[in-house]
Amino acid sequence: MPKDSGIGASSKRREDVRFLTGRGKYTDDINLRGQAYVHFLRSDVAHGRINGIDTGEAAAMPGVVRIFTGADFEGVGGLPCGWQVTDRHGNPMQEPAHPILAQGKVRHVGDPIAAVVADSYAQARDAAEAIVLDIEELPAVIDMKAAVEGGPKVHDDLESNLCYDWGFVEENKDAVNAAFEAAAHVTTLELKNQRLVANPMEPRVAVGDYAPGTGDSTLYTTSQNPHVIRLLMGAFVLGIPEHKLRVVAPDVGGGFGSKIFHYAEEAFCTFAAKAIERPVKWTSSRSEAFMSDAHGRDHVTKIELALDADGMFQAIRTETFANMGAYLSTFAPSVPTWLHGTLMAGNYKTPLIYVNVKAVFTNTVPVDAYRGAGRPEATFQLERVIDKAAREMGIDPVELRRKNFITEFPYATPVAVEYDTGDYNATLDKALEVADVSGFEARRAASAAKGKWRGLGLNCYIEACGIAPSALVGQLGARAGLYESATVRVNATGGLVVMTGSHSHGQGHETAFPQVIAEMIGIDESMIEIVHGDTANSPMGMGTYGSRSLAVGGSAMVRATEKIINKAKKIAAHLLEASDADIELKDGQFSVAGTDKSVAWGDVTLAAYVPHNYPLEDLEPGLEETAFYDPSNFTYPAGTYICEVEVDPDTGKVSIERFTAADDFGNVVNPMIVEGQVHGGLAQGIGQALLESCVYDANGQILSASYMDYAMPRADDVPYYSVDHSCQTPCTHNPLGVKGCGEAGAIGSPPAVVNAVVDALQRNGKDVTHIDMPLSPARVWAAMNG
């Protein structure tokens, strides 16, 4: 029987009541007394020298409070990068300045040049149009290979456009090359992982406020990690002591990674509010979001797979160009390196791997983490080259994967990570069963009768979630810790308030976290309230990204709750006149082992605050505890995805007919939420595979800068999903045994879709080995027709 509460129950999301009834409180809902509005004048050229900014006419227009330019920020820190990568020669990456408003040059379309603050947004926008700019347009560089081969420099003060040339594991390089020389078969594939725009439902918003009486600054913002924003902006940009800066991220309408980072608009609103002593608000338009939100992906890769005559993997070698855009976003350097290169082993026992990544500056919007962040790029290239190798060697794609699976755990890969648990055969078998692969030929015949070509694509993935531990990632260049925190406060009447450094923006924290704590104590989930998103009332934490919330944030809650229970047992022991070692807690009752003596949870919590019955010299009053949890390792969810497509041979249009996802997420706290997370990830992965692409022309103009040109997936673009997470190998190093689930769908679906389309074409006599995403009808038709 399915559980109706606690861990393993599909409890309905309590936060959905306010969201579905229009009662959510988002940053744009926050309006402060006397607030002004800012409009940013952004560059319409990709590269140019600012010779002059004339604000005279604009400053005199109705409602204008003040106009800011880069000159107002001289001496103010630029936006910091949170991760430093060391290249394969031991040198630190090139790290250019990233000013809040452009100083001297503009480096991408959308680079903010000036900011007009006015009494209304319309007045600010009108005044911005009256600013006279003298910009000398310079040649722009968009193509990464051209950028490193002598193209125009994006930053004059850097040696070149190469941010870093990273090799991993550098000591393996000679052995890898030797393995390729000795291989019976080598498969080579060149591919692109195209640039994407995250497009969360809620655009970014920032509201800055300043209290002259106390000197306190407050920023309300659409952020996935308010504590990190406070640290970066306060300490490194504006020089505000942390105790004088509060950052609040209320309800957030999706992020997908794009709201992790510290943006110029946040720093500007905070700075300007102090400068004019009025609140300052900015709300991004959708058009602004396309040229100011960090983009995702944008890799160009050559991957080679060496195999012996029996199809056993001998070595992998990759060379990737990774686009950084014009500046380094907060965690951009880590995405194509430590979040990508370390996953190139996949689910397979390949003994030798070498990954080379060249990170490149171009005159484009900065690129950073987007749902999956490095893991989708690794999985896509690996699973595509495996499929190609299987066809070249005449081996069934399922069997080629199966024979190379890792089967013994823990397993140390040649790219420096250790998988603690997994059962890749189990998820593969489950996917084959749920997808009814044995019935594929009959479905293919039915498609052929309609004049359609049917194909089947397979993908096996693994990802690393909850990046950790802090000491290790610090050695790898992280400039922040990657722990999480929780404070559990028990009220006198037994209810709990849990304050967490994690942040919810669609994950269901307010439902899933209480399930964990309720199970530990044996009380109803409704007695537990989750508080997050405000640095003034939550402990310092690292936020939500990388599928870390439950594995890291949930584990911190478990540790804090364990402290609560231990103290409560001591109080119960006094009330029951027993030793605390003999006290047991079950179903909300403390009892003395082996007796019928007991006391209820609520009686113990009341005694904690009305301490008449236990000696204060032994136990202080109150019941509140804080814990910080720093994981000892990543968690490693894995799975198999199977996609069936129909291709129209006349038009090249692809329709996805069936999609099966079999995932191993370890222990599952709320199956319904997990299924929803997978559904969302699948839609985004299918969007990348078939529809989405951010396109620049040679001059650096974004050609897909609105929904007229950037194709987002719609309901009729995705099928009914068959999702299974019954194959569970619990994580061995966190107290819940959980693994991440939020990014899996976006990681596993793109290669499954592309493999299916290639399969459909090859089954119908077309010599097509690869098509770059997105697989638009035009691209598929062109591939079919040579």
Side-chain angles (χ1 to χ4, degrees):
M1 288 286 293
K3 293 183 66 176
D4 57 7
S5 65
I7 294 175
S10 289
S11 300
K12 291 183 179 180
R13 290 178 22 136
R14 63 170 72 172
E15 51 268 68
D16 285 351
V17 174
R18 68 176 186 273
F19 295 147
L20 294 175
T21 58
R23 293 179 173 88
K25 187 172 184 180
Y26 298 90
T27 307
D28 196 49
D29 295 321
I30 296 171
N31 293 291
L32 305 178
R33 184 176 180 180
Q35 79 184 11
Y37 299 81
V38 60
H39 177 81
F40 290 95
L41 178 63
R42 299 181 182 274
S43 175
D44 60 3
V45 300
H47 195 197
R49 183 171 291 108
I50 303 172
N51 294 323
I53 305 175
D54 183 352
T55 62
E57 180 183 347
M61 291 180 69
V64 173
V65 178
R66 182 171 168 182
I67 298 176
F68 294 81
T69 66
D72 294 292
F73 289 88
E74 292 179 2
V76 176
L79 302 183
C81 180
W83 200 297
Q84 183 184 68
V85 166
T86 301
D87 73 11
R88 62 193 185 92
H89 306 294
N91 300 316
M93 66 187 187
Q94 294 199 92
E95 192 170 355
H98 187 175
I100 294 171
L101 295 177
Q103 296 176 345
K105 285 179 71 175
V106 291
R107 295 181 174 87
H108 68 87
V109 171
D111 213 355
I113 300 170
V116 180
V117 180
D119 293 332
S120 72
Y121 174 74
Q123 290 170 327
R125 182 189 58 204
D126 291 345
E129 292 177 355
I131 295 174
V132 179
L133 296 177
D134 178 6
I135 293 183
E136 175 190 351
E137 187 170 359
L138 301 172
V141 61
I142 308 303
D143 180 80
M144 287 185 280
K145 291 185 180 179
V148 297
E149 292 172 0
K153 285 207 294 184
V154 178
H155 295 273
D156 297 335
D157 55 331
L158 300 186
E159 294 179 4
S160 68
N161 290 323
L162 185 65
C163 178
Y164 56 74
D165 181 0
W166 184 78
F168 191 71
V169 174
E170 197 66 25
E171 292 77 13
N172 288 351
K173 190 174 182 180
D174 290 342
V176 168
N177 292 339
F180 273 90
E181 291 293 327
H185 183 87
V186 173
T187 295
T188 302
L189 183 62
E190 296 188 25
L191 49 80
K192 295 181 180 179
N193 210 296
Q194 79 272 33
R195 180 181 287 239
L196 302 174
V197 180
N199 284 314
M201 187 178 295
E202 176 202 31
R204 289 190 298 115
V205 183
V207 183
D209 191 20
Y210 177 71
T214 63
D216 291 341
S217 292
T218 301
L219 170 68
Y220 302 91
T221 184
T222 46
S223 175
Q224 298 177 217
N225 46 1
H227 283 280
V228 174
I229 301 305
R230 183 180 68 163
L231 174 63
L232 293 176
M233 186 176 73
F236 299 104
V237 183
L238 301 181
I240 304 172
E242 281 189 89
H243 67 283
K244 305 300 286 182
L245 175 61
R246 176 188 177 201
V247 177
V248 182
D251 288 331
V252 173
F256 313 123
S258 69
K259 294 175 182 173
I260 297 172
F261 324 119
H262 178 36
Y263 287 97
E265 296 85 0
E266 295 170 321
F268 175 84
C269 288
T270 308
F271 178 90
K274 181 177 181 179
I276 68 170
E277 295 192 356
R278 283 177 65 179
V280 175
K281 182 174 185 177
W282 170 74
T283 299
S284 173
S285 68
R286 187 60 66 180
S287 296
E288 264 189 303
F290 272 92
M291 56 184 175
S292 63
D293 290 7
H295 292 172
R297 313 287 193 256
D298 206 352
H299 287 192
V300 177
T301 296
K302 176 183 178 182
I303 181 170
E304 299 170 284
L305 174 62
L307 306 94
D308 69 14
D310 296 322
M312 300 302 297
F313 301 165
Q314 301 300 298
I316 292 170
R317 184 167 60 194
T318 77
E319 182 182 18
T320 291
F321 287 83
N323 205 332
M324 296 288 100
Y327 304 100
L328 290 177
S329 181
T330 308
F331 293 114
S334 68
V335 174
T337 52
W338 301 112
L339 299 182
H340 159 249
T342 54
L343 270 294
M344 283 309 304
N347 311 58
Y348 310 104
K349 50 180 183 282
T350 311
L352 293 165
I353 299 174
Y354 179 72
V355 179
N356 175 242
V357 176
K358 295 177 176 64
V360 183
F361 293 113
T362 62
N363 292 116
T364 62
V365 171
V367 178
D368 209 319
Y370 169 70
R371 197 169 191 168
R375 282 69 57 89
E377 295 91 321
T379 300
F380 184 72
Q381 56 189 276
L382 183 59
E383 289 298 303
R384 283 295 298 120
V385 79
I386 290 172
D387 234 48
K388 187 169 185 273
R391 298 182 188 283
E392 290 175 350
M393 298 186 72
I395 302 174
D396 180 88
V398 171
E399 295 311 313
L400 181 60
R401 288 170 168 85
R402 194 188 295 276
K403 72 192 303 180
N404 283 283
F405 274 162
I406 298 163
T407 56
E408 297 182 1
F409 297 88
Y411 179 84
T413 76
V415 278
V417 294
E418 182 174 280
Y419 305 159
D420 59 333
T421 59
D423 189 342
Y424 310 142
N425 278 301
T427 50
L428 175 58
D429 290 339
K430 177 58 70 172
L432 294 171
E433 173 196 335
V434 175
D436 184 26
V437 171
S438 61
F440 171 73
E441 287 301 330
R443 295 190 293 274
R444 180 173 170 242
S447 295
K450 299 185 296 181
K452 302 294 178 63
W453 297 353
R454 198 176 190 100
L456 185 144
L458 172 76
N459 164 69
C460 298
Y461 80 91
I462 189 168
E463 67 160 321
C465 302
I467 180 171
S470 294
L472 172 61
V473 297
Q475 295 171 21
L476 302 181
R479 290 166 168 166
L482 289 168
Y483 54 84
E484 199 45 81
S485 61
T487 295
V488 177
R489 176 181 298 158
V490 184
N491 297 319
T493 53
L496 288 82
V497 177
V498 181
M499 292 153 279
T500 173
S502 298
H503 186 277
S504 181
H505 42 277
Q507 292 82 0
H509 292 177
E510 294 171 41
T511 302
F513 286 157
Q515 289 181 248
V516 172
I517 297 170
E519 175 123 335
M520 293 178 69
I521 298 172
I523 58 177
D524 193 87
E525 296 163 18
S526 64
M527 296 176 65
I528 302 163
E529 189 76 13
I530 304 298
V531 174
H532 64 91
D534 187 341
T535 61
N537 61 19
S538 60
M540 175 71 176
M542 293 295 106
T544 293
Y545 45 83
S547 301
R548 73 190 301 270
S549 293
L550 193 59
V552 188
S555 294
M557 291 181 195
V558 169
R559 295 298 186 227
T561 304
E562 288 172 344
K563 294 181 181 180
I564 291 287
I565 292 171
N566 288 337
K567 182 175 180 180
K569 283 183 176 180
K570 290 180 170 41
I571 298 171
H574 284 287
L575 297 178
L576 295 170
E577 299 180 335
S579 166
D580 58 281
D582 295 328
I583 300 297
E584 297 175 344
L585 173 60
K586 184 179 180 181
D587 297 331
Q589 290 285 129
F590 293 93
S591 60
V592 180
T595 75
D596 59 358
K597 296 173 63 178
S598 67
V599 61
W601 166 260
D603 294 331
V604 172
T605 61
L606 181 61
Y609 292 95
V610 186
H612 296 166
N613 296 306
Y614 59 89
L616 295 183
E617 64 269 18
D618 295 336
L619 205 60
E620 63 185 27
L623 202 52
E624 180 174 326
E625 297 288 350
T626 295
F628 288 78
Y629 179 78
D630 199 341
S632 60
N633 193 0
F634 296 93
T635 70
Y636 298 99
T640 297
Y641 289 0
I642 296 175
C643 176
E644 286 187 32
V645 300
E646 279 188 346
V647 179
D648 186 329
D650 296 325
T651 65
K653 186 179 188 308
V654 176
S655 65
I656 298 178
E657 298 299 305
R658 298 163 67 97
F659 202 105
T660 299
D663 298 287
D664 174 7
F665 295 134
N667 294 333
V668 173
V669 170
N670 186 310
M672 180 186 68
I673 290 178
V674 167
E675 187 166 340
Q677 288 285 303
V678 174
H679 282 196
L682 292 175
Q684 285 186 278
I686 290 169
Q688 177 176 10
L690 297 182
L691 299 162
E692 298 183 51
S693 184
C694 181
V695 180
Y696 281 85
D697 70 11
N699 297 315
Q701 295 295 326
I702 308 177
L703 300 180
S704 52
S706 75
Y707 289 151
M708 290 293 289
D709 301 296
Y710 188 96
M712 294 285 285
R714 302 185 182 190
D716 60 355
D717 292 313
V718 298
Y720 177 82
Y721 308 118
S722 298
V723 175
D724 181 274
H725 42 255
S726 62
C727 302
Q728 298 178 5
T729 59
C731 175
T732 60
H733 54 77
N734 68 56
L736 289 167
V738 296
K739 305 177 184 181
C741 73
E743 296 166 302
I747 293 169
S749 50
V753 173
V754 177
N755 287 345
V757 174
V758 171
D759 179 67
L761 271 54
Q762 292 199 350
R763 287 176 184 270
N764 286 276
K766 300 297 181 180
D767 185 20
V768 176
T769 58
H770 180 68
I771 308 172
D772 275 326
M773 299 183 293
L775 274 62
S776 64
R779 284 189 176 181
V780 176
W781 187 92
M784 287 191 297
N785 291 279

